[in-house]
Amino acid sequence: MIEFLIFAILFLAFAVVNLYRLIKGPNAADRIVASDAADIMISCAMMLFSLYSGRGIYLDVSIISAMLGIINTMLVGRYLDRGRWVKKHDSSENNH
C-alpha cells in the first residue's frame, strides 16, 4: 500500500516540474498543454491517495478536477484557435 503513496508523491513532483513550463512557456499553447498535463498528474495523485487512504471523497474530487481541466483546455484552445482564424481571415480579405 505504501507504493500508492510513493507514486502519488512522484506525480505531485512531476506536476510541480510541469508548472515551470506553465510559467515560463514561450507561447500560450505551451502554457495550456502544461496546465492540462499538471491537472492530469494532480488528478492521478489524488486517485492514488484515495486508494492509499481508503476514502472515496478524494476519488470524487479527482474525477471532477480532471473533467473541469479537460473542459478548460478545450475552451481556451478554441479561443486561441478562433483568434488566429480571425486574424488570418481578416488579413486575407485586406489583401484582395
Side-chain angles (χ1 to χ4, degrees), residues 53-75:
S53 67
R55 299 196 59 198
I57 189 70
Y58 298 120
L59 184 62
D60 296 339
V61 170
S62 70
I63 291 171
I64 291 170
S65 172
M67 288 188 327
L68 290 176
I70 290 170
I71 291 170
N72 181 36
T73 302
M74 288 190 304
L75 290 175

Side-chain angles (χ1 to χ4, degrees), residues 25-79:
N27 57 23
D30 287 338
R31 289 186 173 123
I32 295 303
V33 169
S35 171
D36 189 43
D39 181 52
I40 291 170
M41 288 182 194
I42 290 170
S43 294
C44 288
M46 283 193 285
M47 285 182 196
L48 290 171
F49 186 72
S50 172
L51 290 172
Y52 173 75
S53 67
R55 299 196 59 198
I57 189 70
Y58 298 120
L59 184 62
D60 296 339
V61 170
S62 70
I63 291 171
I64 291 170
S65 172
M67 288 188 327
L68 290 176
I70 290 170
I71 291 170
N72 181 36
T73 302
M74 288 190 304
L75 290 175
V76 173
R78 184 172 171 92
Y79 171 76

Side-chain angles (χ1 to χ4, degrees), residues 1-15 41 44-53:
M1 284 299 268
I2 195 73
E3 293 87 9
F4 290 139
L5 188 60
I6 291 170
F7 281 112
I9 292 170
L10 283 174
F11 272 120
L12 286 175
F14 292 145
M41 288 182 194
C44 288
M46 283 193 285
M47 285 182 196
L48 290 171
F49 186 72
S50 172
L51 290 172
Y52 173 75
S53 67

